[in-house]
């Protein structure tokens, strides 16, 4: 009688093993086997991290094995089991791999195909077509779209983390509990002792050092020592937490009536302001999005304020970007003066602090939350709903949506919800952050997620004109490495543009992103369908880059740049000044966050800047969803390209007092998971 050797690998994460009964059935082209209990006498099967082998003898020839069925039946108490993969050695000595990488919960059943990636057009056998269709039908019931707030990208239909499908939950929910992590951060940073003074002001700038943790040679310490300098202020628009707003000023806006006479002492080329604009030496950052956003009113004891500044910057003869004019609201007038470097010291300093605070709000809510977290969740939900596990694009993308839906669900549960942690420290809490996302969605475009296009659209693409824009330089290297990799994968599975166009599962995935993610908004420029291999490669690059590199660039520097509170105030407790010559140091300190909010803020930026336990970085694919040699070779080339980028960045950083490492591939997690 034919005999098969079955090898079963159990996951190594916590609680991955099971004591339940596990049954296996084989489905072949010539017949189906009986159920076989996989059990070895006097042996604890399916322990965490185990790889167990079993001999399965069948009554008759089964032909080519098409599917295997795994059933789990209760032994004592219900437990979940994480099945990594099964390999089958056939009677004639061939090996067939069946990747799984899924949880089987309760008394469940999983039907697996062999690991070769297949498009729908490759499946000619009825039973395989049926398996493909049933998998998607099941997933579409599990992964449902929900509107969390009007105007937002749609999200997963789950009120809390435990409502999520088991396969996308965190291995340990404890590790991503925001309340727990903030408390732990405050304990690690020794700042709990200030929390009882929630609404009391600090005494002076030096007083902020009481909660500032000095770590030798870090960026955060350099920020503390140099934050008042114009060069440090300008540098952050290039390489700080939010390097996506600065753009070349092609024409001075009418709403900022700045003249050459006002800024003459800042211009170093003996040119008029208009001539400097023509030569490309003037840059602008406009926080118009914050105009009209309601400030946080959740604490009746503390008034909080927002502004919508416009900041004009200048590239000096040393090629450094420095601020030359700041207007603190959008409408010019007598009560909205333009602040200048030539003004009194504290006038100019407070104007810059208002810009830094506004930059913090845009960064947290738009650059970080909307443009990486929420967008990546859309890609993830659409993938699970429209691409079966056998599809090559599913196999490619699944590592890049790992834990994204879970972290966002946790954020909606604890962080950005009504009365959540976001309300405690931020002036945009209490609903302002919701208004911001709703406004920003009107301007979110596909091209803004295409890294080279986004850089070019802001006029920031010239390495000669703007030599110290490391976010751009490193980002382009990583973008090209990802694009080369995705193009290779596309070439393996799609013979022609016609095959791309006729892949209905792919088209449904792309359409889901457009309809539910971008809410069917034509102006977003998101494609409804994809017709060419080149466009598909670009689209996949957008998905992977957004989830990995872009998120890394705007997330993991938060402690570096925002831990010194005056450099990134999460709230302001007095309105913007309306006249010049009256600002004092005492007024600035009273405007900055109180002790309690400073502590919450510091705990937040610390917690958000930490890598996950067992983080998987870009190019790591420990789950072998792909079994084909050409894809594995493409992955190896991808890793080699990424290693070369790591070396380039490390070599450049050796000479830098302020190293830029957020886009070094060895520091870029594969997915948005924190």
């Amino acid at each position: 009688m034919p005999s098969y050797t079955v090898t079963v690998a159990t996951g190594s994460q916590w609680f991955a093993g099971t004591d339940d009964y596990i049954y296996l059935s084989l489905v072949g082209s010539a017949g189906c086997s009986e159920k076989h209990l996989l059990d070895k006498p006097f042996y604890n099967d399916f322990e965490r991290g185990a790889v167990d082998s079993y001999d399965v003898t069948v009554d008759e020839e089964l032909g080519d094995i098409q599917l295997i069925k795994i059933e789990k039946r209760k032994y004592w108490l219900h437990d979940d089991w994480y099945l990594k993969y099964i390999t089958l050695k056939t009677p004639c000595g061939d090996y067939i791999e069946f990747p799984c990488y899924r949880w089987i919960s309760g008394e469940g059943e999983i039907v697996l195909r062999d690991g070769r990636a297949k498009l729908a057009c490759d499946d000619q056998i009825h039973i395989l077509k049926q398996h493909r269709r049933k998998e998607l039908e099941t997933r579409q019931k599990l992964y449902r779209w929900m509107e969390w707030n009007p105007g937002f990208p749609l999200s997963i239909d789950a009120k809390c983390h435990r409502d999520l499908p088991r396969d996308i939950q965190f291995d340990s929910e404890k590790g991503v509990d925001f309340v727990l992590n903030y408390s732990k951060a405050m304990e690690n940073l020794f700042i709990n002792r200030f929390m009882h003074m929630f609404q009391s002001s600090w005494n002076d700038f030096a007083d902020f050092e009481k909660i500032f943790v000095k770590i030798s040679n870090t960026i955060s310490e350099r920020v503390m020592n140099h934050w008042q300098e114009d060069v440090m202020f300008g540098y952050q628009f290039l390489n700080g937490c939010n390097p996506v707003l600065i753009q070349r000023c092609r024409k001075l806006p009418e709403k900022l009536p700045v003249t050459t006479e006002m800024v003459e002492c800042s211009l170093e080329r003996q040119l008029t302001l208009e001539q400097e604009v023509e030569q490309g030496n003037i840059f602008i950052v406009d926080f118009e999005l914050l105009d009209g956003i309601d400030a946080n009113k959740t604490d009746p004891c503390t008034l909080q304020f927002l502004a919508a500044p416009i900041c004009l910057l200048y590239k000096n003869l040393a090629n450094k970007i420095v601020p030359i004019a700041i207007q603190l609201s959008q409408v010019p007038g007598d009560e909205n003066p333009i602040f200048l470097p030539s003004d009194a010291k504290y006038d100019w300093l407070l104007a810059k602090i208002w810009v830094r605070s506004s930059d913090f709000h845009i960064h947290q809510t738009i650059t970080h939350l909307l443009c990486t977290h929420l967008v990546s969740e859309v890609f993830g939900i659409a993938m699970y709903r429209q691409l079966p596990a056998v599809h090559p694009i599913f196999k490619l993308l699944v590592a890049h949506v790992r834990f994204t839906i879970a972290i966002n669900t946790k954020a909606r549960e604890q962080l950005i919800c009504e009365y959540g942690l976001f309300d405690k420290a931020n002036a945009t809490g209490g609903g302002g952050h919701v208004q911001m996302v709703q406004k920003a969605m009107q301007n979110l475009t596909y091209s803004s997620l295409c890294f080279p296009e986004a850089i070019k659209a802001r006029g920031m693409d010239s390495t000669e004109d703007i030599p110290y824009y490391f976010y751009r330089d490193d980002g382009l290297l990583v973008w090209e490495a990802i694009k080369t990799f995705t193009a290779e994968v596309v070439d393996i599975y799609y013979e022609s543009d016609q095959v791309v166009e006729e892949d209905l599962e792919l088209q449904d995935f792309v359409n889901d992103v457009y309809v539910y993610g971008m809410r069917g908004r034509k102006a977003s420029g998101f494609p409804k369908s994809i017709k060419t291999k080149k466009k598909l490669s670009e689209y996949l690059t957008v998905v992977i880059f957004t989830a990995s590199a872009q998120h890394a660039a705007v997330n993991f520097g938060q402690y570096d740049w925002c831990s010194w509170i005056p450099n990134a105030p999460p709230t302001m407790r007095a309105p913007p000044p309306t006249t010049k010559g009256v600002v004092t140091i005492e007024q600035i300190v009273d405007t900055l966050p109180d002790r309690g909010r400073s502590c919450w803020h510091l705990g937040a930026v610390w917690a958000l800047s930490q890598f996950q336990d067992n983080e998987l970085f870009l190019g790591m694919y420990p789950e072998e969803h792909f079994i084909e040699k050409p894809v594995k070779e493409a992955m190896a080339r991808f890793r080699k390209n990424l290693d070369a980028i790591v070396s380039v960045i490390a070599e450049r950083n050796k000479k830098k007092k302020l190293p830029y490492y957020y886009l070094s591939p060895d520091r870029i997690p594969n997915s948005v998971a924190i």
Side-chain angles (χ1 to χ4, degrees):
M1 290 190 293
S3 181
Y4 295 82
T5 302
V6 177
T7 302
V8 182
T10 297
S12 55
Q13 57 269 67
W14 287 106
F15 312 115
T18 184
D19 291 323
D20 284 353
Y21 296 113
I22 303 298
Y23 295 90
L24 173 91
S25 306
L26 303 176
V27 180
S29 56
C32 181
S33 76
E34 297 290 321
K35 283 199 299 190
H36 292 266
L37 176 65
L38 301 181
D39 182 50
K40 286 188 266 191
F42 313 111
Y43 177 76
N44 200 350
D45 305 275
F46 315 116
E47 287 292 280
R48 175 185 166 210
V51 179
D52 301 316
S53 292
Y54 305 87
D55 290 325
V56 172
T57 302
V58 298
D59 296 334
E60 55 189 29
E61 291 289 343
L62 299 176
D64 295 331
I65 300 299
Q66 295 166 341
L67 301 170
I68 58 173
K69 291 182 184 176
I70 303 293
E71 287 184 57
K72 186 163 77 71
R73 294 289 172 251
K74 186 169 71 171
Y75 167 68
W76 181 245
L77 295 171
H78 279 307
D79 62 0
D80 296 343
W81 176 42
Y82 188 84
L83 172 59
K84 288 173 67 177
Y85 61 82
I86 289 177
T87 59
L88 199 65
K89 184 183 178 185
T90 68
C92 59
D94 294 331
Y95 283 88
I96 309 174
E97 296 178 53
F98 294 86
C100 181
Y101 302 104
R102 288 165 59 191
W103 290 93
I104 307 179
S105 300
E107 293 200 310
E109 176 185 279
I110 282 185
V111 182
L112 300 176
R113 293 181 55 155
D114 76 79
R116 292 170 298 171
K118 298 284 184 183
L119 302 175
C121 62
D122 299 327
D123 282 341
Q124 302 302 321
I125 301 168
H126 174 71
I127 194 171
L128 297 180
K129 289 182 180 180
Q130 187 182 40
H131 174 263
R132 195 174 194 118
R133 188 179 67 250
K134 283 179 74 174
E135 182 186 3
L136 289 181
E137 286 172 358
T138 303
R139 290 239 215 97
Q140 285 165 13
K141 289 174 187 170
L142 275 175
Y143 297 83
R144 301 175 305 277
W145 295 104
M146 176 192 75
E147 182 179 70
W148 187 65
N149 263 304
F152 272 53
L154 294 196
S155 51
I156 195 75
D157 185 5
K159 287 181 180 165
C160 59
H161 181 266
R162 67 177 171 272
D163 291 343
L164 293 171
R166 185 67 182 90
D167 286 327
I168 59 168
Q169 291 182 23
F170 282 105
D171 296 333
S172 168
E173 192 179 344
K174 186 179 172 185
V176 289
D177 187 291
F178 285 107
V179 176
L180 193 69
N181 287 349
Y182 280 24
S183 303
K184 199 192 303 175
M186 288 189 217
E187 194 178 312
N188 291 343
L189 299 168
F190 307 106
I191 55 180
N192 277 329
R193 64 190 186 278
F194 294 103
M195 290 305 291
H196 68 283
M197 302 180 283
F198 200 80
Q199 279 139 348
S200 63
S201 293
W202 301 94
N203 296 318
D204 51 35
F205 292 142
D207 207 16
F208 282 99
E209 288 192 54
K210 289 178 181 175
I211 65 163
F212 184 74
V213 179
K214 290 185 184 178
I215 304 167
S216 183
N217 296 321
T218 61
I219 291 172
S220 56
E221 192 171 350
R222 191 166 181 84
V223 170
M224 181 190 73
N225 292 327
H226 298 279
W227 71 282
Q228 297 188 43
E229 298 168 11
D230 287 355
V231 169
M232 176 63 87
F233 177 90
Y235 177 87
Q236 292 180 70
F237 286 117
L238 297 177
N239 301 310
C241 262
N242 197 25
V244 303
L245 293 185
I246 188 169
Q247 53 187 321
R248 199 184 291 272
C249 182
R250 296 180 173 93
K251 185 182 179 217
L252 291 167
E254 290 181 13
K255 63 182 179 180
L256 181 67
V258 62
T259 64
T260 299
E261 291 69 38
M262 288 179 179
V263 296
E264 204 161 19
C265 62
S266 298
L267 306 181
E268 298 180 353
R269 294 178 176 84
Q270 276 70 56
L271 300 172
T272 66
L273 181 57
E274 288 73 18
Q275 288 170 329
E276 295 279 19
V277 169
E278 283 174 25
Q279 291 206 1
N281 298 322
I282 303 295
F283 299 83
I284 192 165
V285 181
D286 189 347
F287 297 93
E288 185 178 13
L289 185 84
L290 285 163
D291 194 30
I293 299 297
D294 293 330
N296 193 339
K297 295 181 177 66
T298 58
D299 179 3
C301 300
T302 304
L303 290 175
Q304 299 182 61
F305 297 89
L306 293 168
I310 309 168
C311 181
L312 210 62
L313 299 119
Y314 176 64
K315 184 185 74 173
N316 64 21
L317 289 172
N319 281 325
K320 300 294 170 63
I321 303 288
V322 293
I324 59 171
I326 295 170
Q327 183 177 283
L328 293 180
S329 67
Q330 294 287 307
V331 181
D334 293 341
E335 294 194 343
N336 185 21
I338 296 175
F339 292 91
L340 307 164
S342 54
D343 290 340
K345 175 183 176 181
Y346 292 128
D347 281 2
W348 181 235
L349 182 59
L350 182 56
K352 288 193 293 179
I353 291 172
W354 268 105
V355 171
R356 293 294 314 133
S357 183
S358 301
D359 191 68
F360 173 81
H361 295 310
I362 297 285
H363 163 258
Q364 284 288 13
T365 304
I366 307 308
T367 309
H368 183 208
L369 173 63
L370 173 61
C371 294
T372 64
H373 277 258
L374 299 185
V375 168
S376 291
E377 180 176 5
V378 165
F379 291 133
I381 299 170
M383 182 202 78
Y384 279 112
R385 285 176 55 83
Q386 303 299 351
L387 298 176
V390 71
H391 199 292
I393 304 306
F394 178 94
K395 290 173 180 281
L396 175 66
L397 295 184
V398 67
H400 300 288
V401 299
R402 175 177 177 261
F403 298 149
T404 300
I405 301 171
I407 195 69
N408 287 1
T409 302
K410 204 73 184 165
R412 286 187 286 270
E413 191 183 342
Q414 293 184 328
L415 186 64
I416 58 174
C417 55
E418 193 174 3
Y419 310 118
L421 294 172
F422 201 83
D423 289 353
K424 290 186 182 292
N426 294 327
T428 52
H433 60 301
V434 172
Q435 296 171 351
M436 288 173 70
V437 171
Q438 290 165 336
K439 279 180 79 172
M441 273 293 286
Q442 302 307 307
N443 299 316
L444 179 61
T445 61
Y446 177 75
S447 61
S448 71
L449 301 179
C450 293
F451 190 81
E453 285 185 45
I455 295 289
K456 196 168 185 178
R458 292 189 286 112
M460 302 295 291
D461 49 316
S462 171
T463 53
E464 192 177 329
D465 286 354
I466 314 157
Y468 302 118
Y469 197 13
F470 308 126
Y471 163 74
R472 171 203 60 205
D473 300 341
D474 300 354
L476 287 171
L477 292 175
V478 175
W479 172 274
E480 286 304 318
I482 295 171
K483 195 172 180 186
T484 299
F485 172 53
T486 60
E488 287 188 41
V489 175
V490 168
D491 278 341
I492 292 167
Y493 294 103
Y494 293 91
E495 291 179 1
S496 65
D497 292 343
Q498 184 181 347
V499 179
V500 171
E501 193 170 357
E502 291 175 356
D503 182 355
L504 298 183
E505 290 168 340
L506 170 68
Q507 303 305 338
D508 287 343
F509 161 64
V510 172
N511 190 56
D512 248 29
V513 170
Y514 172 73
V515 171
Y516 298 104
M518 296 306 113
R519 311 300 296 268
R521 194 171 54 82
K522 200 173 179 181
S524 72
F526 270 75
K528 298 179 192 177
S529 61
I530 290 181
K531 294 184 167 64
T532 66
K533 290 166 62 174
K534 185 178 179 183
K535 196 69 181 173
L536 175 56
S537 171
E538 179 191 80
Y539 194 90
L540 297 172
T541 305
V542 165
V543 177
I544 295 172
F545 186 89
T546 301
S548 58
Q550 186 59 27
H551 179 255
V554 303
N555 181 70
F556 293 105
Q558 291 188 72
Y559 186 79
D560 287 347
W561 296 101
C562 303
S563 57
W564 179 247
I565 307 292
N567 189 59
T571 190
M572 300 287 263
R573 294 179 297 143
T578 55
T579 56
K580 293 188 183 187
V582 295
V583 178
T584 63
I585 180 66
E586 292 79 16
Q587 186 182 338
I588 292 178
V589 172
D590 286 342
T591 300
L592 288 168
D594 55 43
R595 291 169 189 254
R597 286 182 175 82
S598 297
C599 294
W600 271 109
H601 169 81
L602 195 61
V605 298
W606 172 272
L608 291 170
S609 299
Q610 306 307 305
F611 291 121
Q612 284 278 354
D613 292 339
N614 304 316
E615 191 74 77
L616 296 177
F617 293 95
L618 192 58
M620 291 183 179
Y621 297 100
E623 294 184 352
E624 294 193 56
H625 291 273
F626 283 110
I627 66 167
E628 296 94 328
K629 189 179 176 184
V631 188
K632 291 186 174 184
E633 289 171 346
M635 286 176 171
R637 285 191 291 274
F638 182 37
R639 283 189 290 273
K640 191 175 178 183
N641 288 342
L642 294 174
D643 288 344
I645 296 170
V646 170
S647 300
V648 168
I649 293 171
E651 187 61 33
R652 178 200 64 213
N653 283 339
K654 281 181 188 174
K655 307 164 191 168
K656 298 293 175 191
K657 290 178 183 174
L658 266 176
Y660 185 82
Y661 45 72
Y662 308 117
L663 281 168
S664 182
D666 58 344
R667 290 172 178 250
I668 299 176
N670 251 336
S671 61
V672 176
I674 189 71

